[in-house]
Amino acid sequence: MLTATLKSLLSRKLRLVLSGLAIVLAVMFVSGAMVIKDTLNRSVDAQFSGAYEDIDLYVERKPKVEAQTADDPAVVPPVDPALVETVSRVEGVERASGLVLAEGARAIGKDGKVVPGTGGPRYGGSWRGESDLINLREGHEPRTDGEVAVNAGLAQEADLKVGDRIGVLTNEPRQDFTVSGVFGYSGDRDSIGGEQTVVFNEPVAQRLMLDGAGGFSGVRVGLAAGASAETVAAALGKNLGADYEVLTGRELAEKASDKSRGILDMMSTVLLGFAGVAVLVGVFLIINTFSIIVAQRLRELALLRALGASRKQMIGSVLLESFVVGLVSSALGLAAGIGIGALGSNLLAGSTDGLEVASLGVPASAVVTAFAVGVFTTMLAALFPALRASKVAPISVIRASTGPEGRHRKQTWTGGILLGLGALLLVAGSLSSDGANLILLGLLPAFLGVVLLTPLISRPAVHLLGAVFARSVPGRLGRGNSARNPRRTAITASAMMIGVALVTAISTVAASSEDSVTHDIRRDLKADLVAMGEAGSANSASIEPAALDRIAEVPGVHHLAAAVMDTAAVGKENQPVAAWRDWNAAREVLGLRSADGSLETLAAGTVVMNTSTAEARGLKVGDTVRLQLQRGEERTYRVGGLFANSTLVNGMVVPWADAEAGFRTGQPSQAYFQLAGDADESEVRSRIETLLKDSPEVTVQTREDVIEEFSGGFAMMLAIVQALLGVAMLIAILGIVNTLALSILERTREMGALRAIGLSRGQTRRMIMTESVVISLFGAVLGIAVGGVLGLAVAHAMEDQGVTRLSLPWGQMAAYLIGAAVVGVIASIAPARRGARLNVLAAVNHG
């Protein structure tokens, strides 16, 4: 039986290679993601391994609010200078010194703009002194209040040299300094992980980076000879209490390197998403391939049964074939994944200045996962055809090689039940005020139900779609062929359907979100001009408060509202908070609508919030809530009012005075200007831009610019969606090619007869092309319908996230249809060429 199986496998090499390519792609993405992550993680670790080699231990206070992301670092409270003396008296400590080092120092280049980041944080701090880690390359350390030293990476990026003037933004507005020195790091490194560091003298560093508290970011500890870092760390922790954290130099390096891992995680997630699509679509390709092979081997399988092969041996034969296909495909996919990993690692490292790629690593987990995904998926997909092969009766040896297709009533009933259940959950969720969970729960059964019911609708659907081509004989023949075997057509089309459904659903959610955002901004935003940072830095940009005072006096400016954004904590959960310099002006220019209570004033000890935040926190007007801001002690607020959900304002709003005392910075990050009716917008805008010249992180935009900025946030999502569609369509091409190739082999005698009675080679090619295009369009139309419905359901469930309008991406859906037709044409080229070149006499006599 083993010999027969292997010979059978070798006789169908091309067909199995085509089905195996789907597994190759899936394994390539999975292993590629893991190789990239492992290689770059080791690269980052190596980059930061010596970043704190001059520090044995480091003592700092725990932040009051934990950081949410690397772009939103926690504010570490300064330690009192007296702590240095306390630490120095602990047994095992040889020396202790205060250190200022905090994120938030942004250098301004010669063009007047903030120097672009190079993949790492932007630090401001005090001079640590030269050591085995840090060495001055030019000039000297900052000795006066007007001097700074910069790391070589920043100097190169900003084209700075000793003696140049440089502007720096910190917790205070722009201040200008003279570059007194340029320093680098051991190993001839210009930067560590792409960081940019500006070093001041100690008093200036304390004033700018620690709000003039006169303390330090932390205490640098040097151990006495023979002292154990673990023992001294434990002693320090016991003496200082729970409010302090004691870290080794290695732990500091790991903490710093974590900030550089965000892009690695994002890249891995995207590649794993591609792998998921490839696996899902590939399952249908493999099922179809083995189903057709089993059907074409009906007489051969019956003969094996007649010779004594058991049902278990029949199942084992098919599964063995699938195991070999999965094994070979996994090996090829792993090799391709290693190549993708090497390329991706170098490309990503190239986008981060100073990051040197470590030797390419292939973790054991990547190898195990690659073969597990490839082999398991292939064998699972082949299981159903294997069970069908085991049911072949020995009497079939005297029948035709292929038999009529069964009705598959169990599949139809199962599909109907799943679709009904999914539809019921979707409808129930849509009618419920809090039905998001029901909607999400109904997506999977509804989708599976459609997949299982696809054979039921394939014949009428392809007849309808094929009517466009039915004016010619090849068109009518191609349409008939595509409808001949509904189950095979359905499985082939399912590969296209799944990919198109997925991207249509995501595109529908994106279109609904974008439409909701633009509609809300057009409805609510009363400001004519807005000053804010670019997308991704809108909340971290800073505007000089004195400039806003001057802008308020500009003729034509009717209302001016400026905001500062931050993160607070409610218990152990983070909470977005904001404060507005003129709350009444903010209500006017943002079009805020009261939902409960009063929005008229924002008195001390009062907080207002949008309705979604209130519902999530279980709050109502009159309740109290305790907020821990970045600085200061925990505060109790009374909920004074609720406002309707708005795209422009989210979370909780506290009084302006609390922002100045408790936020990361009291400098506004956004400003909104409503102009008088007779004001010249271009003239006022020019004057505002002039007054904001020392706030280079923000740009002045019109209302339409703001709408375009918000809409642009969906561009990356759609780009990823299109890439996912490309993967799905590539596998769909393989599926259609495979189906057509096997169908041509199955219909060899029929095609020979058609050629014998006058069908030309060109007509034969058009017939096969019609069949391919009809199958591809069927999958695309079904995918668009399913994806549109599911996307609308998900968008409806996101009402609390601000998705208030449902929209379909008509232009993209039309593009998907055109793309499917093109895919059908491409997929038909090789099979059509083969079919047109059949020898007529040999085809007619084909057994």
Side-chain angles (χ1 to χ4, degrees):
M1 193 67 190
L2 177 62
T3 302
T5 299
L6 293 177
K7 286 184 176 180
S8 174
L9 179 65
L10 292 174
S11 68
R12 288 179 296 279
K13 295 185 289 292
L14 180 60
R15 310 172 210 173
L16 296 176
V17 165
L18 288 173
S19 61
L21 284 176
I23 299 302
V24 170
L25 288 174
V27 171
M28 179 185 72
F29 287 123
V30 171
S31 56
M34 300 180 78
V35 168
I36 287 175
K37 190 168 185 178
D38 177 79
T39 302
L40 290 187
N41 275 341
R42 289 186 295 104
S43 302
V44 171
D45 289 342
Q47 185 78 351
F48 283 93
S49 61
Y52 297 93
E53 62 187 18
D54 58 341
I55 296 177
D56 293 326
L57 292 174
Y58 186 73
V59 179
E60 66 178 5
R61 291 181 65 183
K62 293 181 179 178
K64 296 179 180 295
V65 181
E66 294 294 336
Q68 286 185 302
T69 64
D71 295 327
D72 182 27
V75 173
V76 179
V79 300
D80 191 278
L83 187 74
V84 176
E85 180 63 25
T86 302
V87 169
S88 66
R89 291 197 298 266
V90 174
E91 185 177 356
V93 175
E94 180 179 336
R95 63 187 182 279
S97 58
L99 175 68
V100 179
L101 185 67
E103 291 189 51
R106 291 93 71 202
I108 301 173
K110 296 178 179 179
D111 59 357
K113 299 293 183 182
V114 172
V115 178
T118 51
R122 293 180 169 113
Y123 289 119
S126 56
W127 177 245
R128 289 162 61 175
E130 288 194 89
S131 64
D132 291 340
L133 173 67
I134 299 174
N135 59 285
L136 273 169
R137 296 182 181 177
E138 299 177 43
H140 57 80
E141 74 278 6
R143 296 168 181 166
T144 68
D145 290 355
E147 293 180 334
V148 295
V150 299
N151 70 318
L154 173 56
Q156 183 177 0
E157 186 70 27
D159 190 24
L160 293 171
K161 59 183 182 298
V162 173
D164 285 349
R165 296 288 289 174
I166 181 176
V168 182
L169 295 172
T170 58
N171 293 334
E172 295 189 8
R174 169 177 176 159
Q175 295 188 28
D176 292 323
F177 300 88
T178 298
V179 177
S180 65
V182 176
F183 61 91
Y185 302 96
S186 59
D188 200 31
R189 290 174 293 178
D190 295 337
S191 172
I192 296 179
E195 49 78 39
Q196 295 179 353
T197 301
V198 179
V199 174
F200 314 90
N201 69 14
E202 189 171 279
V204 174
Q206 290 172 325
R207 173 169 57 84
L208 296 182
M209 305 308 302
L210 302 177
D211 294 335
F216 301 102
S217 303
V219 179
R220 182 171 49 170
V221 179
L223 299 179
S228 165
E230 291 75 13
T231 302
V232 176
L236 286 170
K238 182 178 180 180
N239 288 345
L240 300 178
D243 290 339
Y244 290 87
E245 189 172 17
V246 183
L247 302 170
T248 65
R250 175 173 294 182
E251 289 171 335
L252 273 175
E254 291 175 354
K255 192 174 180 180
S257 66
D258 286 342
K259 299 178 184 298
S260 301
R261 299 187 194 275
I263 190 169
L264 309 185
D265 294 336
M266 181 187 73
M267 185 68 177
S268 298
T269 301
V270 170
L271 287 176
L272 290 175
F274 290 162
V277 172
V279 170
L280 186 60
V281 178
V283 164
F284 287 89
L285 193 159
I286 296 167
I287 290 175
N288 204 25
T289 299
F290 278 92
S291 296
I292 297 173
I293 290 174
V294 167
Q296 292 177 350
R297 292 174 58 199
L298 186 65
R299 186 174 290 174
E300 175 190 332
L301 296 173
L303 180 60
L304 289 173
R305 289 298 309 279
L307 293 175
S310 66
R311 293 186 64 178
K312 288 184 178 179
Q313 286 178 312
M314 303 300 292
I315 294 174
S317 173
V318 176
L319 290 182
L320 179 59
E321 290 187 22
S322 68
F323 173 77
V324 173
V325 171
L327 191 65
V328 174
S329 300
S330 298
L332 294 174
L334 177 61
I338 293 172
I340 290 291
L343 178 62
S345 298
N346 282 285
L347 288 176
L348 286 174
S351 65
T352 303
D353 288 357
L355 181 61
E356 295 183 4
V357 182
S359 59
L360 185 67
V362 183
S365 57
V367 178
V368 173
T369 303
F371 283 97
V373 169
V375 174
F376 176 77
T377 301
T378 308
M379 295 186 69
L380 180 65
L383 179 60
F384 298 104
L387 293 173
R388 193 174 305 119
S390 71
K391 297 178 181 179
V392 174
I395 193 64
S396 298
V397 72
I398 61 175
R399 295 177 181 169
S401 61
T402 58
E405 189 183 59
R407 294 181 179 274
H408 303 285
R409 291 180 178 177
K410 290 182 180 179
Q411 177 177 323
T412 301
W413 276 103
T414 303
I417 292 171
L418 287 174
L419 180 59
L421 175 62
L424 182 64
L425 291 172
L426 292 176
V427 172
S430 299
L431 297 177
S432 173
S433 58
D434 187 22
N437 291 332
L438 288 176
I439 290 176
L440 296 177
L441 193 62
L443 294 178
L444 182 59
F447 184 77
L448 291 177
V450 171
V451 171
L452 292 175
L453 290 175
T454 302
L456 192 65
I457 62 173
S458 63
R459 179 172 279 128
V462 296
H463 265 295
L464 181 62
L465 291 170
V468 178
F469 309 96
R471 296 182 180 181
S472 64
V473 171
R476 287 194 294 274
L477 289 172
R479 181 177 69 165
N481 288 337
S482 61
R484 178 182 298 184
N485 195 320
R487 187 172 182 278
R488 182 182 302 176
T489 297
I491 295 177
T492 305
S494 291
M496 177 68 73
M497 184 269 286
I498 291 171
V500 174
L502 176 64
V503 297
T504 300
I506 298 175
S507 299
T508 299
V509 173
S512 299
S513 301
E514 184 176 358
D515 189 28
S516 300
V517 166
T518 55
H519 173 268
D520 289 351
I521 294 177
R522 292 186 190 280
R523 179 195 63 196
D524 296 335
L525 185 58
K526 305 299 189 296
D528 299 288
L529 298 172
V530 178
M532 63 169 55
E534 297 179 356
S537 64
N539 292 340
S540 60
S542 64
I543 302 176
E544 185 182 4
L548 293 177
D549 294 334
R550 294 190 291 270
I551 292 172
E553 303 300 324
V554 172
V557 176
H558 180 55
H559 281 304
L560 189 162
V564 58
M565 311 292 180
D566 207 349
T567 303
V570 179
K572 295 183 178 181
E573 297 181 357
N574 284 0
Q575 170 63 53
V577 291
W580 293 82
R581 221 169 73 135
D582 185 337
W583 173 240
N584 288 325
R587 290 190 300 107
E588 173 65 28
V589 300
L590 301 176
L592 295 183
R593 303 182 305 281
S594 177
D596 193 12
S598 173
L599 301 180
E600 295 299 322
T601 58
L602 195 55
T606 302
V607 64
V608 297
M609 65 192 72
N610 64 317
T611 54
S612 291
T613 299
E615 291 171 3
R617 298 289 179 194
L619 298 171
K620 60 182 183 300
V621 173
D623 288 349
T624 58
V625 59
R626 293 182 64 81
L627 278 179
Q628 174 61 65
L629 304 180
Q630 295 276 4
R631 306 178 190 277
E633 300 304 317
E634 192 175 47
R635 306 165 188 239
T636 300
Y637 292 90
R638 185 185 67 84
V639 180
L642 307 179
F643 53 87
N645 291 329
S646 169
T647 299
L648 299 166
V649 185
N650 212 341
M652 299 183 180
V653 180
V654 301
W656 179 257
D658 291 352
E660 292 181 310
F663 278 22
R664 184 191 323 275
T665 174
Q667 297 181 78
S669 58
Q670 304 173 14
Y672 297 79
F673 312 100
Q674 185 179 23
L675 307 185
D678 58 349
D680 185 322
E681 183 178 296
S682 60
E683 181 180 342
V684 174
R685 180 178 182 175
S686 177
R687 295 195 62 179
I688 291 175
E689 289 173 337
T690 300
L691 291 171
L692 290 177
K693 68 179 185 303
D694 288 334
S695 301
E697 293 176 299
V698 300
T699 56
V700 181
Q701 308 173 58
T702 65
R703 180 167 20 199
E704 290 303 316
D705 292 335
V706 173
I707 292 173
E708 186 176 343
E709 183 88 12
F710 274 90
S711 300
F714 300 98
M716 180 174 291
M717 178 194 299
L718 293 178
I720 294 174
V721 165
Q722 306 310 327
L724 286 172
L725 178 61
V727 173
M729 284 193 164
L730 176 60
I731 299 177
I733 289 175
L734 298 177
I736 296 172
V737 168
N738 218 7
T739 298
L740 291 177
L742 294 173
S743 296
I744 288 170
L745 180 63
E746 185 178 276
R747 303 198 304 262
T748 299
R749 179 179 293 178
E750 174 189 317
M751 294 185 67
L754 289 173
R755 290 293 312 283
I757 62 176
L759 195 69
S760 68
R761 287 187 173 184
Q763 288 176 317
T764 302
R765 282 192 288 267
R766 290 198 296 274
M767 176 186 71
I768 296 172
M769 185 177 295
T770 298
E771 182 178 356
S772 176
V773 171
V774 168
I775 292 174
S776 185
L777 284 176
F778 171 50
V781 169
L782 189 60
I784 287 173
V786 172
V789 171
L790 297 183
L792 290 174
V794 172
H796 179 75
M798 295 173 63
E799 185 174 2
D800 288 344
Q801 284 75 46
V803 182
T804 56
R805 296 170 67 86
L806 302 180
S807 301
L808 288 169
W810 296 107
Q812 292 173 47
M813 291 192 298
Y816 298 158
L817 279 178
I818 295 172
V822 173
V823 164
V825 173
I826 294 173
S828 70
I829 293 174
R833 185 179 181 184
R834 181 181 179 184
R837 291 185 173 184
L838 284 175
N839 183 287
V840 176
L841 291 178
V844 171
N845 292 317
H846 182 74

